[in-house]
Amino acid sequence: MLAPPPDPIERVLVTGASGVVGRALVDELRSSGRYQVVTVSRAQADLRDPDAARRCLDAVKPAVVFHLAAKVAGLGGNLGVPGEMIYENLLINGSVIEAARAAGVRKIVAAGSTAIYSDRVALPMKEEDLWAGEPHASEAAYGHAKRTMLAQLEAYRAQYGIDYAFSISTNVYGPHDRFDEAHGHVTPTLISKFHRAAHTGEPVVVWGDGAARRDFLFSKDLARAMRIVAERWTGPINLASGQVVSIRELVEALRALSGHTGDVFWDSTRPNGQLSRAYDVDKLRGLGFKPAYSLAAGLKETYDWYSRNSDVARR
């Protein structure tokens, strides 16, 4: 659903601003010249605490909240601590949305995830199918938490009239990601592995057999998409590139970038996750969005950033 454009200058709050998407979004919003951007870190406010969330929103009094804060992990983390994943995300989302309502926020732009989709729906996955079937078992806890956030946003719009957009975001990657090889997402995990292997000559071990297919979007492109959605959209919307590649293709691209000439071992005892994911992006394209970065360009910028910052990158 198209929404009316915002006022020329508005104060906005970005939660989760230190993450891979948050940093790109803050840069995007500030460079647009339309927003006074305020950020909040966990050190400033533990958003799992409803009182802390309310104090934060009351102090900032934003017109729009970009809610990115979450407990996030890759396949290993989602499988290892599902109770923590759902509990902490329910606390964060519920606290922020209620605090936003109490502070009189005009609109909430929430970072959802394609983890909400079931593998029972046809490809490409469409927004109309987001409630069909349960999320894939590998991401069920995280996916259910995001679905619950969407349900809360819909309920608050119905009762309180708060506008919202829910970005169903694909696999995002970019500078300032969390390069956690044990629990992180696939792209930063592989970047860390290949960067180290290029210097040590050790083999790179990759989970699964490489057959899984995913849609990847560079963080700067996702940030621009979120700004456009904030200005022009109400409701859930897929934020994705519209292109899919296999994990094997991703591995080969990173092998070439790193210059690694050693072995790559595929650990087929480890899960692939959902075998194939592809998303319908007609609604996003209808807003005029098209990615500015190819996968090759985005991977190069991310790998180069990590090469310069590997000693201080988050893990």
Side-chain angles (χ1 to χ4, degrees):
M1 181 188 306
L2 289 175
D7 295 332
I9 298 292
E10 288 190 305
R11 176 178 290 189
V12 301
L13 174 68
V14 180
T15 73
S18 64
V20 56
V21 179
R23 287 175 180 265
L25 179 61
V26 168
D27 289 344
E28 173 70 25
L29 294 173
R30 286 177 173 160
S31 65
S32 75
R34 302 187 65 173
Y35 302 99
Q36 178 189 4
V37 182
V38 181
T39 64
V40 58
S41 68
R42 185 163 182 175
Q44 295 170 305
D46 184 350
L47 298 177
R48 296 172 298 181
D49 179 352
D51 292 333
R54 178 168 287 202
R55 287 193 297 271
C56 174
L57 269 292
D58 284 346
V60 177
K61 295 195 178 303
V64 179
V65 172
F66 289 86
H67 176 41
L68 311 182
K71 182 178 178 64
V72 180
L75 184 58
N78 283 323
L79 289 170
V81 289
E84 291 178 23
M85 293 299 295
I86 194 165
Y87 178 66
E88 292 197 26
N89 281 301
L90 288 175
L91 287 177
I92 293 168
N93 299 335
S95 297
V96 169
I97 293 170
E98 170 58 17
R101 179 206 64 79
V105 165
R106 176 180 68 80
K107 185 168 188 173
I108 301 171
V109 182
S113 167
T114 52
I116 66 174
Y117 282 115
S118 169
D119 58 353
R120 299 182 182 183
V121 303
L123 299 180
M125 297 173 174
K126 299 182 178 182
E127 294 89 345
E128 292 79 13
D129 297 328
L130 64 88
W131 297 109
E134 69 279 6
H136 190 266
S138 63
E139 299 180 296
Y142 185 68
H144 281 303
K146 292 295 189 181
R147 280 187 174 186
T148 302
M149 177 166 62
L150 174 57
Q152 185 178 2
L153 290 168
E154 290 180 342
Y156 274 46
R157 184 168 186 262
Q159 182 171 351
Y160 305 117
I162 302 173
D163 192 16
Y164 82 90
F166 182 81
S167 64
I168 309 175
S169 303
T170 188
N171 292 64
V172 63
Y173 67 96
H176 305 286
D177 210 336
R178 187 178 296 279
F179 296 83
D180 180 350
E181 293 184 15
H183 303 105
H185 289 108
V186 61
T187 305
T189 291
L190 290 173
I191 286 173
S192 177
K193 288 183 176 183
F194 273 105
H195 180 267
R196 185 177 65 255
H199 291 83
T200 65
E202 65 189 79
V204 172
V205 179
V206 186
W207 279 28
D209 61 11
R213 297 176 63 79
R214 296 288 182 267
D215 179 302
F216 297 97
L217 191 63
F218 188 52
S219 57
K220 292 181 181 179
D221 279 329
L222 180 56
R224 183 165 54 89
M226 289 193 77
R227 177 183 59 78
I228 292 170
V229 163
E231 295 170 355
R232 302 190 57 198
W233 189 261
T234 292
I237 185 169
N238 288 337
L239 302 191
S241 71
Q243 303 294 321
V244 294
V245 298
S246 70
I247 300 302
R248 189 171 290 272
E249 290 173 292
L250 178 67
V251 164
E252 289 306 316
L254 288 172
R255 184 207 285 266
L257 267 178
S258 68
H260 175 59
T261 57
D263 292 326
V264 173
F265 294 126
W266 297 91
D267 186 355
S268 58
T269 67
R270 297 287 192 167
N272 279 317
Q274 193 167 349
L275 185 59
S276 186
R277 285 182 175 268
Y279 311 103
D280 185 293
V281 291
D282 284 351
K283 291 181 174 62
L284 183 60
R285 286 175 178 162
L287 299 179
F289 174 82
K290 184 170 75 171
Y293 283 78
S294 66
L295 179 63
L299 288 177
K300 184 177 186 329
E301 187 164 322
T302 307
Y303 188 89
D304 289 348
W305 180 90
Y306 183 74
S307 296
R308 296 190 303 270
N309 296 280
S310 60
D311 56 336
V312 295
R314 296 187 306 153
R315 286 178 171 81

